[in-house]
């Protein structure tokens, strides 16, 4: 089988994490999560099954919303969105996300776009996947400088949503709400446990020898490199073109 690119590993892992959802929503600047959702839909349809509904903010072809994020929030509150993705400038071991800035708030030395509706969606969407391709100590910190969206809530606080996993460029973590905290489930090809520990500012549970993240088979790669990248190009043309250039280099 031809070499699998690192971002293809991420896309295929996202497709597995989404298996079973009816409706997945994706933010406006999230090509890798969008590709993962599209891949799952293509795989289901290839099997003769019904794939998930996909809503990508900012897309014309893959978005049935007509009033932007307002309808997204309404759908989430009504329980009609099963999965969503959150990233952050900082993420800590309790699943807290910081989208405001680094340093002591409100005098943050570095400012980011802001929390927007992250806290609301974190509370009401049952399957939230934390995704950040960069895996460094500046992102994965012991304690975030500002909590835009909390990973867990105190007893007595009604909450139907929250994190189920954290996917990075180095590995896949599962989130355990009972501890609470992360457990390393698998390590992506080309990385190892020692490297992940050094790049992570919080402690996490792990096996002595974590398994490697599963690689896609030939049929899955064909769907991804064909139909999925074609569909993705409507919303993310530069990303789709970049992936195809990288694949051309590999094939050469």
């Amino acid at each position: 089988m031809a070499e699998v690119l690192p971002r293809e590993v991420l896309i295929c892992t996202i497709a597995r994490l989404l298996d079973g959802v009816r409706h997945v929503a994706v933010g406006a600047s999230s090509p890798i999560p969008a590709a993962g959702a599209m891949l799952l839909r293509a795989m289901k349809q290839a099997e003769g099954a019904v794939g998930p509904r996909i809503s990508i903010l900012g897309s014309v072809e893959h978005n049935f919303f007509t009033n932007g994020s307002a309808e997204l929030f309404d759908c989430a509150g009504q329980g009609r969105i099963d999965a969503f993705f959150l990233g952050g400038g900082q993420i800590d071991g309790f699943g807290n996300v910081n989208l405001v800035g680094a340093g002591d708030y409100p005098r943050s030395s570095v400012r980011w776009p802001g929390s927007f509706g992250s806290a609301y969606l974190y509370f009401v969407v049952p399957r939230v996947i934390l995704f950040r391709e960069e895996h460094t100590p500046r992102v994965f910190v012991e304690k975030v400088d500002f909590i835009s969206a909390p990973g867990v809530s105190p007893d007595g606080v009604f909450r139907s949503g929250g994190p189920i996993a954290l996917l990075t460029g180095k590995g896949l973590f599962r989130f355990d709400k009972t501890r609470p905290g992360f457990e390393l489930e698998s390590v992506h090809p080309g990385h190892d446990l020692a490297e992940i520990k050094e790049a992570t500012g919080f402690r996490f549970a792990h096996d002595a020898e974590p398994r490697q993240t599963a690689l896609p088979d030939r049929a899955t790669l064909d769907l991804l490199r064909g139909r999925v990248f074609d569909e993705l190009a409507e919303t993310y043309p530069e990303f789709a073109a970049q992936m195809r250039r990288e694949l051309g280099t590999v094939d050469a």
Side-chain angles (χ1 to χ4, degrees):
M1 186 170 65
E3 180 181 346
V4 181
L5 298 178
R7 284 181 168 176
E8 291 181 315
V9 174
L10 298 178
I11 292 168
C12 294
T13 302
I14 286 171
R16 289 193 295 272
L17 291 171
L18 291 175
D19 194 17
V21 305
R22 302 163 302 165
H23 184 186
V24 53
V26 182
S29 301
S30 303
I32 293 176
M38 290 176 177
L39 177 60
L40 175 63
R41 180 174 63 186
M43 293 168 63
K44 291 295 184 183
Q45 292 176 351
E47 298 169 354
V50 177
R53 177 189 289 271
I54 303 172
S55 299
I56 304 175
L57 294 180
S59 172
V60 175
E61 182 70 23
H62 309 286
N63 183 11
F64 73 96
F65 296 139
T66 59
N67 191 26
S69 57
E71 289 173 291
L72 167 65
F73 297 149
D74 286 344
C75 281
Q78 295 161 4
R80 294 193 288 136
I81 293 179
D82 302 309
F84 190 70
F85 300 87
L86 277 181
Q90 292 177 335
I91 298 172
D92 67 25
F94 294 100
N96 298 318
V97 175
N98 177 7
L99 290 156
V100 169
D104 293 333
Y105 181 82
R107 297 179 178 85
S108 304
S109 57
V110 177
R111 293 301 300 265
W112 297 316
S115 305
F116 195 48
S118 59
Y120 172 73
L121 294 172
Y122 218 14
F123 269 71
V124 299
V125 177
R127 197 181 300 198
V128 177
I129 298 169
L130 299 174
F131 175 71
R132 185 67 197 265
E133 193 172 5
E134 177 187 340
H135 192 143
T136 63
R138 74 171 186 167
V139 174
F140 299 107
V141 297
E142 182 177 6
K143 182 179 179 181
V144 295
D145 295 334
F146 182 91
I147 299 178
S148 295
V152 294
S153 299
D155 292 340
V157 175
F158 177 75
R159 179 171 186 169
S160 58
I164 65 159
L166 165 65
L167 179 63
T168 79
K170 299 184 186 296
L172 170 64
F173 300 78
R174 290 287 183 174
F175 188 73
D176 183 352
K177 296 179 182 178
T178 62
R179 292 179 32 222
F182 290 102
E183 180 175 359
L184 181 64
E185 179 171 307
S186 66
V187 178
H188 302 333
H191 304 283
D192 57 36
L193 177 60
E195 178 189 357
I196 291 177
K197 281 185 172 181
E198 185 177 356
T200 309
F202 57 78
R203 293 184 178 181
F204 55 88
H206 59 83
D207 291 337
E209 297 183 5
R211 65 182 179 86
Q212 179 177 284
T213 304
L215 297 179
D217 58 21
R218 179 77 260 175
T220 301
L221 274 182
D222 288 344
L223 273 177
L224 174 59
R225 295 173 177 179
R227 170 182 167 175
V228 172
F229 285 159
D230 286 344
E231 293 178 345
L232 195 69
E234 181 269 338
T235 309
Y236 302 105
E238 292 183 8
F239 180 84
Q242 178 187 2
M243 290 298 296
R244 284 186 161 138
R245 285 195 298 271
E246 292 180 11
L247 286 170
T249 302
V250 169
D251 292 339

